[in-house]
Amino acid sequence: VVNGIIGIVACGGGDESSKRKTEIEIWWYPLARDFGFDLIALGELRLFLDDGKVELLEGFLMLLTYLVYCIYMRLNARIMRRFKISDPYDPEPEDMGWTMWGRCPKSHPLAPVVVYEKDSTCDRCERLVEMRSVVLECDRCDPAWWMCGPCFEQVRREEVADEKRL
């Protein structure tokens, strides 16, 4: 609960003195999911600390609850698909959004651009990128972060392999 509040403030949600007002869009699903697990954990803690000490079995049950949480988070995408829950902030693949092109290491969205700078390199593999070739660029990073075509193909192959493992 406290981490959630601190996270909102750190993102700018609680910064009233800022000249730039930021609006945080919160989707119900992760909020409800995390609230449910927090409620279970706090309930266990309240129940187990009632006598002033935590027994070995009680500690094991709390650890087991945490493992269930970890497994749930690992399977979260599958669970969302199973119950047809879709994130309203995810763009559709047809709209050429970040789901199609991916993200940089800082999780900013990538977009295709044509290279017009001499001796440019891919920031992922450090290959030289030819002028007038298309790369994926993150314009929010400073300096702009680039990924070449072969790296993009490799990332997509890895994503497909990860999906098959799920």
Side-chain angles (χ1 to χ4, degrees):
V1 175
V2 174
N3 287 340
I5 294 169
I6 291 172
I8 290 171
V9 171
C11 291
D15 185 10
E16 294 298 324
S17 65
S18 175
K19 291 179 185 173
R20 187 186 88 201
K21 296 292 179 190
T22 56
E23 189 174 305
I24 298 175
E25 296 178 8
I26 299 176
W27 181 39
W28 71 267
Y29 174 72
L31 188 65
R33 177 197 62 212
D34 294 347
F35 179 75
F37 278 108
D38 286 348
L39 199 59
I40 291 168
L42 289 171
E44 283 180 338
L45 197 58
R46 169 71 173 97
L47 181 68
F48 297 154
L49 286 178
D50 201 29
D51 61 355
K53 58 184 174 182
V54 177
E55 300 291 333
L56 183 63
L57 181 61
E58 295 168 339
F60 179 74
L61 286 173
M62 287 192 283
L63 179 64
L64 189 63
T65 302
Y66 179 69
L67 290 175
V68 168
Y69 170 75
C70 291
I71 292 168
Y72 186 96
M73 293 306 290
R74 176 73 173 113
L75 300 174
N76 188 49
R78 243 192 213 174
I79 293 167
M80 287 176 59
R81 280 193 304 271
R82 168 70 175 92
F83 292 103
K84 295 178 176 46
I85 300 171
S86 60
D87 188 339
Y89 305 111
D90 277 351
E92 296 298 320
E94 300 86 42
D95 73 359
M96 307 296 275
W98 64 264
T99 54
M100 179 169 280
W101 303 114
R103 290 185 174 258
C104 75
K106 293 181 181 177
S107 295
H108 301 142
L110 298 176
V113 295
V114 177
V115 176
Y116 288 109
E117 296 176 19
K118 217 175 187 183
D119 299 324
S120 300
T121 58
C122 170
D123 290 307
R124 190 168 186 273
C125 68
E126 299 185 8
R127 283 188 202 127
L128 195 61
V129 178
E130 295 178 18
M131 282 185 63
R132 294 191 196 93
S133 63
V134 177
V135 296
L136 297 176
E137 177 186 60
C138 173
D139 59 359
R140 290 178 58 193
C141 289
D142 188 25
W145 189 88
W146 285 358
M147 179 167 49
C148 65
C151 285
F152 174 69
E153 290 171 9
Q154 179 183 357
V155 167
R156 284 297 181 230
R157 280 193 300 272
E158 291 168 2
E159 288 174 356
V160 167
D162 287 345
E163 282 293 316
K164 287 182 181 177
R165 276 184 269 172
L166 289 176

